Amino acid sequence: MERGKMAEAESLETAAEHERILREIESTDTACIGPTLRSVYDGEEHGRFMEKLETRIRNHDREIEKMCNFHYQGFVDSITELLKVRGEAQKLKNQVTDTNRKLQHEGKELVIAMEELKQCRLQQRNISATVDKLMLCLPVLEMYSKLRDQMKTKRHYPALKTLEHLEHTYLPQVSHYRFCKVMVDNIPKLREEIKDVSMSDLKDFLESIRKHSDKIGETAMKQAQQQRNLDNIILQQPRIGSKRKPKKDAYTIFDTEIGSTSPKSEQDSGILDVEDEEDDEEVPGAQDLVDFSPVYRCLHIYSVLGARETFENYYRKQRRKQARLVLQPPSNMHETLDGYRKYFNQIVGFFVVEDHILHTTQGLVNRAYIDELWEMALSKTIAALRTHSSYCSDPNLVLDLKNLIVLFADTLQVYGFPVNQLFDMLLEIRDQYSETLLKKWSGIFRNILDSDNYSPIPVTSEEIYKKVVGQFPFQDTELEKQPFPKKFPFSEFVPKVYNQIKEFIYACLKFSEDLHLSSTEVDDMIRKSTNLLLTRTLSSSLQNVIKRKNIGLTELVQIIINTTHLEKSCKYLEEFITNITNVLPETVHTTKLYGTTTFKDARHAAEEEIYTNLNQKIDQFLQLADYDWMTGDLGNKASDYLVDLIAFLRSTFAVFTHLPGKVAQTACMSACKHLATSLMQLLLEAEVRQLTLGALQQFNLDVRECEQFARSGPVPGFQEDTLQLAFIDLRQENIVITS
């Protein structure tokens, strides 16, 4: 029973489930019926469900049949209408087909145009995309083109900056393009090319500087000379306002201001061409001749590339080599002043360039490097000057060399180089200059003495008299009172020698100028040199004249007179030196002139030569003596040779008028003694073994002639019978022989 109830209940549930499924099938979309049917087949009652489903289908078929039967007439009417519509539809189809054909025919061109439009639209999009990409690439290409142009025009520093912008700003935006990769690969090569080209420009600059150092130095020295001349003018003239021309700063003479190590300009150049300036025009600054931009550019490029130290070492090494070349003097430098000038110009030019590099770059060269080069240059220059100046025999060349050395030193001193050693060396050259002056004046004195006529200077007018007195300090009241024509006691060589001594002093003074010596040092130098001139050069020249074989008594007498007046003029030479040096003779350690000693020695030598010459003349006359010791004739007059001898002595002693009295007296006494001695020797000769009365008479007449000459006082100043004492022995010997 219970089982039956349970079976019935299950049957009811299954029927309800099947009913639900059927309703779901009827109401559900066909696409979603799968899961519903699966639930049927998953159960065990699908057979019953199929039965249920068929029953439901049959029910629906009956309902459809009922409905169709009910609406059949309407269906028939609908079919009839549908058949009518079919005909109309066919017509419409034909019309549509025809219209479509016409439309296709008419729209064919439009389709083609639309197709073209489509292609144009596509091209437009492509072009727009291309333009956008090109807008990104064009700056890169423009920068690259700019880079090549800059490198072509040798604007290397801007090219390097352009390369940096290209690498870090522009190329990263288009790095996926192949041409950009090529550019990126070329960047190191371009940097190396810029580096090499800038170094090549630097080499050209260094070579140009080496070739034109003399021009740079010449300009710098000319500028220093102008400044010195201007300073001298200002010192000599009273200051009326501030009219002094400001000195041109050695480091602000460039047209473009140099900042740090940035390039000065965009143009590569070494030396700027400058025409020679006239003396009255302003000389351009030395650095105005030089374009240093290659150095600054190359330095900055190497600094940016991280190779500054390499550049500094290269620059210093090359400049050291150039310094050694500049400091090597030519072998014939001593022959002309131009040789020295070119040598100095090159040295000045070298250091002007280095000094400017020192002050316009940061560390390319430093003070220690410059000082090292200058020490080397100073030692080599001084050694070269010592060697080559020793060959100079022309004092004018030595003086010009001194002035050139002073200008050389002053020029470099403006740039801060120590030049004390150069001035010390000039003191050495001063001694050499004195020697060359002495040699020159030796020839001058020799010419003066050789060309002199050794006769008193005749004057026929007041003008000539004043001219001579203007040349030589001479005062004689008695001579001034005498009417014209009249004569000075001295010959022409006195004023000439005196003036040449003054010229020598002037020449010595010229060398002392600009040597930064005190007045005392200048005075001492002049006095020492003048003493050498007097005691060595002039003294030697006078001695040579006095010792000449053909010198006559008249010339010797005139030499004595001349040296006497020159001796008196020494005090005027002292005053002359005092006036030009402003150092009083009373100053401690002042050197005195030795002119008095020189002229005294010359005079004494001339006196001795007069004595010797007189005795030689007497001997020459005595050689004419021809005594016949065996003659029997008694003569009544002195021998002819003795008469001629006495006449010669009278005329000779008459020339002694202007000699100092003692000199004339000594000469006369010496001559008389020599005559007496010579006559005594004639009388006492070994060959004279026998004498006749006639011979003694003749000899006695000759002795009387000599005594008569002595009594006549040929030279004033002797006391009575003093001169006769020279013949007293001869007289006594004659008396003894006679008796």
Side-chain angles (χ1 to χ4, degrees):
M1 209 44 193
E2 289 181 358
R3 290 181 179 179
K5 288 181 179 180
M6 289 178 63
E8 186 179 357
E10 290 177 358
S11 177
L12 290 174
E13 288 179 1
T14 302
E17 179 66 22
H18 288 169
E19 186 66 28
R20 185 188 64 78
I21 292 171
L22 289 173
R23 285 197 303 272
E24 186 173 348
I25 291 172
E26 291 174 347
S27 61
T28 303
D29 190 9
T30 305
C32 300
I33 200 170
T36 304
L37 294 176
R38 180 176 293 279
S39 64
V40 174
Y41 285 98
D42 288 341
E44 297 178 356
E45 299 295 334
H46 60 276
R48 293 181 64 185
F49 176 76
M50 291 301 295
E51 293 176 357
K52 195 81 171 174
L53 178 60
E54 288 177 358
T55 301
R56 180 63 61 92
I57 292 171
R58 284 192 298 272
N59 289 335
H60 280 295
D61 287 340
R62 284 193 296 272
E63 289 179 0
I64 291 171
E65 185 178 354
K66 287 179 181 180
M67 188 174 289
C68 288
N69 291 331
F70 178 75
H71 293 288
Y72 178 76
Q73 187 61 43
F75 175 72
V76 172
D77 293 338
S78 296
I79 292 298
T80 303
E81 290 294 329
L82 186 60
L83 290 173
K84 293 180 180 179
V85 170
R86 180 179 179 183
E88 294 296 329
Q90 185 64 37
K91 292 180 182 179
L92 181 62
K93 177 181 178 182
N94 293 334
Q95 291 177 357
V96 169
T97 302
D98 186 56
T99 301
N100 180 59
R101 185 178 67 254
K102 293 179 179 179
L103 182 63
Q104 290 294 330
H105 181 269
E106 296 295 333
K108 186 175 182 180
E109 294 181 359
L110 181 61
V111 171
I112 294 172
M114 290 301 294
E115 190 66 28
E116 292 177 354
L117 179 61
K118 178 182 177 182
Q119 293 296 325
C120 288
R121 294 287 186 185
L122 180 60
Q123 291 177 0
Q124 185 179 16
R125 286 196 299 273
N126 292 340
I127 290 173
S128 179
T130 303
V131 169
D132 292 340
K133 298 301 181 181
L134 285 176
M135 291 302 292
L136 290 176
C137 296
L138 276 178
V140 177
L141 298 174
E142 289 175 354
M143 290 296 288
Y144 191 79
S145 176
K146 181 180 178 182
L147 171 65
R148 302 307 295 182
D149 290 341
Q150 288 171 339
M151 294 185 66
K152 186 177 180 180
T153 56
K154 296 185 178 181
R155 299 168 61 197
H156 304 123
Y157 174 71
L160 188 62
K161 299 298 289 183
T162 302
L163 188 61
E164 290 179 358
H165 287 303
L166 183 65
E167 181 181 15
H168 299 103
T169 304
Y170 293 96
L171 284 178
Q173 299 177 6
V174 290
S175 58
H176 53 282
Y177 292 109
R178 187 169 57 186
F179 77 91
C180 294
K181 294 180 181 179
V182 174
M183 288 184 182
V184 171
D185 293 339
N186 282 336
I187 284 176
K189 298 178 181 178
L190 291 173
R191 280 203 178 96
E192 200 63 31
E193 182 180 350
I194 292 174
K195 187 176 177 182
D196 293 341
V197 173
S198 62
M199 179 58 71
S200 177
D201 291 341
L202 176 68
K203 290 178 180 179
D204 294 340
F205 169 81
L206 292 175
E207 180 64 20
S208 182
I209 284 292
R210 185 187 68 80
K211 292 180 179 179
H212 295 86
S213 287
D214 56 342
K215 179 64 177 177
I216 300 170
E218 179 186 357
T219 305
M221 292 178 72
K222 188 180 293 184
Q223 187 180 26
Q225 180 66 53
Q226 274 193 348
Q227 186 61 47
R228 190 166 69 176
N229 293 340
L230 183 62
D231 293 341
N232 291 336
I233 293 174
I234 293 175
L235 290 174
Q236 292 173 3
Q237 294 180 351
R239 292 188 177 182
I240 305 176
S242 179
K243 294 184 179 180
R244 178 169 182 171
K245 185 177 179 181
K247 187 172 183 179
K248 203 167 190 180
D249 192 341
Y251 313 119
T252 59
I253 55 179
F254 292 91
D255 296 331
T256 303
E257 182 177 352
I258 306 301
S260 183
T261 56
S262 298
K264 180 185 174 193
S265 69
E266 296 301 330
Q267 298 298 324
D268 287 332
S269 178
I271 305 298
L272 306 179
D273 293 332
V274 176
E275 297 294 333
D276 292 337
E277 302 289 342
E278 298 295 334
D279 292 339
D280 57 346
E281 295 180 357
E282 181 181 357
V283 178
Q287 291 90 343
D288 288 337
L289 303 177
V290 186
D291 178 14
F292 288 91
S293 58
V295 179
Y296 302 133
R297 251 193 324 272
C298 195
L299 173 62
H300 195 71
I301 288 171
Y302 270 72
S303 298
V304 171
L305 296 177
R308 180 187 176 99
E309 185 177 356
T310 301
F311 175 78
E312 290 178 359
N313 293 335
Y314 176 81
Y315 177 85
R316 295 183 184 185
K317 181 180 178 181
Q318 293 302 314
R319 290 298 278 167
R320 279 195 181 93
K321 290 181 179 179
Q322 291 187 355
R324 292 188 180 94
L325 291 175
V326 165
L327 294 171
Q328 185 66 34
S331 58
N332 61 342
M333 182 174 72
H334 60 277
E335 294 178 358
T336 62
L337 188 65
D338 287 338
Y340 290 102
R341 183 178 289 110
K342 184 175 181 180
Y343 180 63
F344 288 144
N345 287 344
Q346 290 178 340
I347 297 175
V348 171
F350 178 88
F351 283 100
V352 165
V353 170
E354 289 306 288
D355 184 76
H356 186 78
I357 291 294
L358 173 67
H359 288 86
T360 56
T361 60
Q362 295 180 348
L364 178 56
V365 297
N366 53 34
R367 176 54 63 182
Y369 162 80
I370 295 293
D371 291 343
E372 177 189 350
L373 283 181
W374 175 241
E375 286 298 325
M376 177 185 72
L378 199 58
S379 61
K380 289 183 176 293
T381 302
I382 291 175
L385 289 176
R386 281 174 177 160
T387 300
H388 286 269
S389 64
S390 62
Y391 300 138
C392 295
S393 57
D394 181 6
N396 293 328
L397 179 58
V398 178
L399 180 61
D400 291 338
L401 174 59
K402 166 258 170 182
N403 292 330
L404 194 59
I405 294 174
V406 170
L407 180 58
F408 170 71
D410 289 347
T411 303
L412 288 170
Q413 197 170 31
V414 170
Y415 293 91
F417 295 99
V419 294
N420 292 334
Q421 293 185 43
L422 288 173
F423 284 102
D424 293 340
M425 184 203 61
L426 282 174
L427 298 181
E428 299 176 16
I429 296 181
R430 179 188 64 185
D431 297 334
Q432 178 188 346
Y433 176 70
S434 296
E435 288 298 322
T436 57
L437 283 181
L438 292 174
K439 291 180 181 179
K440 178 180 178 180
W441 257 259
S442 175
I444 292 174
F445 288 147
R446 182 170 60 252
N447 293 335
I448 291 174
L449 296 176
D450 290 345
S451 61
D452 194 62
N453 58 8
Y454 295 95
S455 299
I457 301 175
V459 287
T460 57
S461 65
E462 185 71 23
E463 182 180 356
I464 298 176
Y465 184 87
K466 289 182 178 179
K467 181 180 178 181
V468 175
V469 173
Q471 294 176 345
F472 181 75
F474 176 77
Q475 293 180 348
D476 189 335
T477 306
E478 294 183 1
L479 183 62
E480 290 179 0
K481 294 178 180 179
Q482 293 178 11
F484 293 101
K486 51 189 175 183
K487 294 181 179 181
F488 285 99
F490 46 80
S491 67
E492 291 183 354
F493 95 62
V494 170
K496 288 182 179 179
V497 167
Y498 181 80
N499 283 302
Q500 285 302 322
I501 295 174
K502 291 173 65 176
E503 289 296 325
F504 179 86
I505 294 172
Y506 274 128
C508 294
L509 180 65
K510 286 181 181 178
F511 193 90
S512 65
E513 294 174 352
D514 302 319
L515 292 185
H516 311 299
L517 299 175
S518 65
S519 298
T520 304
E521 290 174 319
V522 174
D523 182 84
D524 184 67
M525 181 198 77
I526 292 176
R527 290 178 181 273
K528 286 181 178 179
S529 298
T530 306
N531 278 333
L532 286 175
L533 178 74
L534 295 173
T535 59
R536 196 172 78 185
T537 306
L538 181 56
S539 176
S540 175
S541 298
L542 289 172
Q543 293 293 338
N544 290 336
V545 172
I546 292 170
K547 298 298 182 181
R548 281 193 307 207
K549 292 182 179 181
N550 58 347
I551 189 73
L553 287 172
T554 304
E555 288 85 349
L556 291 171
V557 170
Q558 192 62 56
I559 289 174
I560 292 175
I561 297 171
N562 290 348
T563 53
T564 301
H565 287 283
L566 286 173
E567 181 182 350
K568 293 177 181 178
S569 70
C570 286
K571 64 179 181 179
Y572 298 104
L573 291 175
E574 290 269 10
E575 294 176 1
F576 176 72
I577 295 175
T578 299
N579 290 334
I580 63 176
T581 62
N582 296 320
V583 177
L584 298 177
E586 295 80 14
T587 305
V588 180
H589 305 306
T590 299
T591 305
K592 305 299 179 183
L593 290 185
Y594 301 145
T596 301
T597 304
T598 298
F599 297 124
K600 280 183 178 179
D601 292 343
R603 188 165 58 253
H604 291 159
E607 291 171 2
E608 291 297 329
E609 196 67 24
I610 286 176
Y611 305 152
T612 302
N613 200 314
L614 274 175
N615 292 341
Q616 290 176 351
K617 288 290 184 181
I618 291 172
D619 291 340
Q620 290 175 5
F621 279 101
L622 289 175
Q623 288 177 1
L624 300 176
D626 188 17
Y627 287 104
D628 184 2
W629 302 111
M630 301 303 294
T631 183
D633 297 335
L634 297 175
N636 55 5
K637 63 178 183 177
S639 302
D640 293 338
Y641 85 90
L642 191 61
V643 173
D644 294 339
L645 173 58
I646 296 301
F648 165 76
L649 291 177
R650 289 184 186 279
S651 62
T652 299
F653 291 138
V655 179
F656 288 9
T657 305
H658 297 288
L659 281 177
K662 185 177 180 181
V663 175
Q665 292 169 11
T666 303
C668 187
M669 178 60 75
S670 173
C672 290
K673 285 184 177 180
H674 184 73
L675 177 57
T677 302
S678 298
L679 290 174
M680 180 74 75
Q681 290 176 353
L682 286 175
L683 186 61
L684 299 178
E685 283 181 352
E687 297 177 357
V688 181
R689 300 178 180 276
Q690 204 171 14
L691 296 173
T692 63
L693 185 59
L696 290 174
Q697 178 66 23
Q698 183 61 48
F699 193 79
N700 185 47
L701 290 173
D702 292 345
V703 173
R704 285 182 180 179
E705 185 68 22
C706 293
E707 291 173 340
Q708 180 63 32
F709 169 73
R711 284 194 297 271
S712 66
V715 174
F718 282 110
Q719 296 180 0
E720 293 183 3
D721 300 335
T722 300
L723 192 57
Q724 296 181 48
L725 294 176
F727 298 99
I728 189 65
D729 292 339
L730 181 60
R731 168 57 62 190
Q732 290 177 355
E733 185 66 25
N734 189 36
I735 293 173
V736 170
I737 293 174
T738 303
S739 61

